[in-house]
Amino acid sequence: MNSNPKILFRFIPIVSLFSLFSFCNQANPINLDGSSSAAGVLLNVVLPSIIGTEIVPEGLPQLSSNVMYDAGNTYIDLTFSEQNSVDENFTMQIESYTTVSSPSFVGYNTFTLPANTGTHSVGFALNADDDNCLDRSGDKFSFRITKDSTGDTFVYDVTVKDGDYCIFGSSAKTLAQLGGLGAMDNHCKNLASAKGLPRNSAYYKAMVGALSTTYGDRNPGETLSSTSFFRANKRYVRKQGNGTWVKVFSIGGTWPLSSDFDNPLIDSGEYWTGMHSGWGRMDNNTCLNGTESWTNASSSSSGNLGTSSVVTGDAAYMTLSSCDSPLALPFICVYSPN
């Protein structure tokens, strides 16, 4: 006889579980949905602990994100659950990918984790697959990290999304219909959502120079930073009226660009900007009413206009219009995350 009753009691749940599968040849199927079936709960909770699931070895990191973006570099943090008293070396390699562009590491495919350190940042580079800002289903890649001292290794799967930023023209509005910076931003958000553009539609904004104590001043020509209106190392794209997508421009280390755009911001015509040709805010030409731009529909105020040109300066400022003009023009909406 078994002298240890604890072994028997530990064995009973496993026996019961496998007895559950003996009913498979009966007419009524077992419901495996844990939300509505006791059997489903048992399988969902107990089965993984019995058959095991693939887990990251203790000496290897967890990823801060399993989403990457093409058309630029994506950096993620590797977080280690244990910190070693000595430096540890790691090797990385791309295992497979289903993107058009092959992924690569930013820098070397090896790194050293210093002693008593729990995080390390790794960059991945993916070229743009196209000139639109739409995610493509099924784009992903896998990469392996190996700890050199132990040989522990693990393959990580990540999803690839489109890294381009989208631009589009709003519907035409007179100055009296603009309603200030907040209303213009909301119009962009609603249009982005209606167009089914990816990412958070709340981050689409009106590309205009503006003074606003309510919503914060806006100067699209400001020096590039992590919080500036435009961002470094980004491609900006738009959909033309004929349905094709084009790249408008790419930003490297400076803004505004010294070279011409690849394509104009809209197909044709003019649009509200409130900026001078250097892309800086033109305070006196933003239809300013007190402290709020784009709210003054009187003849005493003017608003600067840009035009559909690949010339960088003309795109920001070509001419101006009196704010009481019945002229109906669009403004440009652009993805600009906070």
Side-chain angles (χ1 to χ4, degrees):
M1 292 183 64
N2 192 335
S3 60
N4 189 346
K6 291 183 179 180
I7 296 178
L8 176 61
F9 288 123
R10 289 175 180 172
F11 187 65
I12 288 175
I14 299 176
V15 173
S16 300
L17 178 62
F18 283 100
S19 296
L20 185 64
F21 290 104
S22 66
F23 291 98
C24 291
N25 59 352
Q26 297 185 17
N28 296 324
I30 298 173
N31 186 346
L32 300 184
D33 181 1
S35 63
S36 60
S37 165
V41 171
L42 182 62
L43 288 174
N44 290 337
V45 176
V46 178
L47 188 58
S49 65
I50 295 176
I51 65 175
T53 57
E54 191 174 11
I55 59 174
V56 180
E58 286 188 4
L60 294 176
Q62 299 285 344
L63 307 184
S64 61
S65 174
N66 65 346
V67 175
M68 306 285 177
Y69 291 91
D70 70 11
N73 297 340
T74 300
Y75 289 85
I76 62 170
D77 288 332
L78 308 178
T79 303
F80 295 80
S81 60
E82 59 180 32
Q83 298 184 17
N84 296 311
S85 58
V86 297
D87 293 355
E88 290 285 357
N89 296 319
F90 295 83
T91 302
M92 304 180 294
Q93 67 186 62
I94 304 296
E95 290 285 299
S96 62
Y97 62 91
T98 60
T99 61
V100 173
S101 169
S102 59
S104 61
F105 299 105
V106 177
Y108 299 103
N109 69 329
T110 61
F111 67 90
T112 298
L113 185 70
N116 303 313
T117 302
T119 61
H120 180 78
S121 180
V122 176
F124 297 86
L126 278 162
N127 292 325
D129 288 340
D130 46 44
D131 288 327
N132 65 43
C133 64
L134 307 178
D135 296 333
R136 189 171 56 209
S137 177
D139 274 9
K140 61 184 179 179
F141 72 90
S142 301
F143 69 99
R144 180 184 298 275
I145 298 180
T146 302
K147 187 176 182 179
D148 293 358
S149 64
T150 63
D152 288 338
T153 188
F154 191 78
V155 175
Y156 301 82
D157 298 318
V158 296
T159 299
V160 176
K161 295 189 175 183
D162 199 294
D164 292 334
Y165 282 5
C166 246
I167 290 174
F168 58 88
S170 76
S171 55
K173 292 179 178 293
T174 64
L175 190 282
Q177 296 172 328
L178 292 181
L181 189 58
M184 295 166 78
D185 280 354
N186 284 334
H187 188 53
C188 289
K189 296 170 187 177
N190 292 335
L191 286 173
S193 179
K195 291 174 180 291
L197 298 180
R199 303 194 182 186
N200 190 341
S201 60
Y203 291 144
Y204 281 86
K205 302 180 178 71
M207 190 203 75
V208 293
L211 291 174
S212 175
T213 56
T214 304
Y215 300 99
D217 297 343
R218 180 165 301 169
N219 183 6
E222 67 183 317
T223 302
L224 290 174
S225 70
S226 60
T227 58
S228 59
F229 192 81
F230 292 107
R231 304 298 170 80
N233 303 314
K234 289 298 178 183
R235 299 170 80 252
Y236 290 79
V237 300
R238 73 175 181 90
K239 189 176 185 180
Q240 300 182 115
N242 62 10
T244 61
W245 287 82
V246 294
K247 184 181 75 168
V248 179
F249 55 82
S250 295
I251 299 180
T254 60
W255 175 259
L257 306 177
S258 58
S259 58
D260 292 343
F261 289 167
D262 294 274
N263 289 280
L265 290 162
I266 62 173
D267 288 343
S268 63
E270 296 173 334
Y271 41 84
W272 304 103
T273 69
M275 294 181 287
H276 56 66
S277 59
W279 284 77
R281 182 181 62 234
M282 194 76 168
D283 296 349
N284 294 331
N285 288 327
T286 61
C287 294
L288 184 65
N289 184 11
T291 60
E292 297 294 327
S293 294
W294 309 111
T295 59
N296 187 347
S298 73
S299 60
S300 62
S301 183
S302 299
N304 282 0
L305 309 177
T307 190
S308 54
S309 170
V310 295
V311 177
T312 308
D314 292 348
Y317 171 62
M318 172 59 76
T319 185
L320 54 80
S321 174
S322 173
C323 296
D324 68 343
S325 169
L327 188 66
L329 295 174
F331 50 89
I332 306 299
C333 299
V334 60
Y335 182 79
S336 181
N338 295 335

